[in-house]
Amino acid sequence: MTKTILFDLGNVIVPFDFKRAYAKLGPLCSCPLTEIAPRLRSTDLVSRFESGRIAAEPFVGELSTLLGLKTTYEEFCDLWTSVFFEDTLVPESLIVGLHRQYRLLILSNTNPIHFSMLKGRYPIFGHFDDFVLSYEVGALKPDARIYREAIRRAGCRPEECFFTDDIAINVEAARDHGIDAVQFFSAEQLEEELKARGVL
């Protein structure tokens, strides 16, 4: 029987596209717009940020050096959070309904700049009981440590947890830990998965 439901954040609750931020950063960088993504991928800067190994302001400093970016910390935060779209993928009504009967957790690879904005801007996050975040745990999905922490905070056995994530490898890792997990494709598909389990 399901007792706790865990959701990934990006592209499950809120859709995002990093190209939106790159387009805004481009005019402020000394490198071409087309070089922003390859330069970021050539380093471990983002993974260090999302696993809590570098704080927000030093992250912005290193990224600015990498891209030849000229902006203030506050301006950067505004630009960096523009990756997210206004509307959620999962309706708030679904989350509200689930929260009446189940413990709800977010299990996400994210960073303090993004999460602070998301929690403040999207009322849907007010219906969650806890947030298992990579930068606080010190590990990124699919690392076993973040799943162990998620199970601990779920307050029940792994098989009593249901988890959805848009990335297949993260779903497989959850299953390896005994969690009932499915890949997210749409709100409609998720509702069908929940109905099949007697959750809805």
Side-chain angles (χ1 to χ4, degrees), residues 77-136:
C77 289
D78 286 341
L79 298 171
W80 196 241
T81 54
S82 69
V83 300
F84 295 100
F85 291 82
E86 184 176 346
D87 295 326
T88 61
L89 292 170
V90 174
E92 188 173 359
S93 58
L94 174 63
I95 301 300
V96 170
L98 291 172
H99 196 212
R100 292 192 186 105
Q101 292 182 271
Y102 302 95
R103 182 167 171 78
L104 300 184
L105 273 63
I106 290 289
L107 171 55
S108 178
N109 290 348
T110 189
N111 61 74
I113 294 176
H114 280 166
F115 186 69
S116 176
M117 181 281 293
L118 287 164
K119 200 172 179 188
R121 186 179 297 174
Y122 295 84
I124 196 170
F125 293 114
H127 306 293
F128 284 86
D129 297 293
D130 204 352
F131 303 90
V132 184
L133 309 174
S134 59
Y135 73 91
E136 292 182 341

Side-chain angles (χ1 to χ4, degrees), residues 141-187:
K141 292 177 293 183
D143 189 299
R145 288 172 292 171
I146 197 167
Y147 293 98
R148 288 197 295 265
E149 179 64 13
I151 293 166
R152 186 185 73 79
R153 293 208 217 166
C156 59
R157 297 193 302 272
E159 61 270 23
E160 294 173 323
C161 296
F162 174 85
F163 174 56
T164 188
D165 192 299
D166 64 307
I167 298 175
I169 192 172
N170 295 338
V171 172
E172 289 301 322
R175 290 173 180 164
D176 289 343
H177 286 80
I179 297 169
D180 179 15
V182 298
Q183 189 170 3
F184 179 88
F185 295 101
S186 69

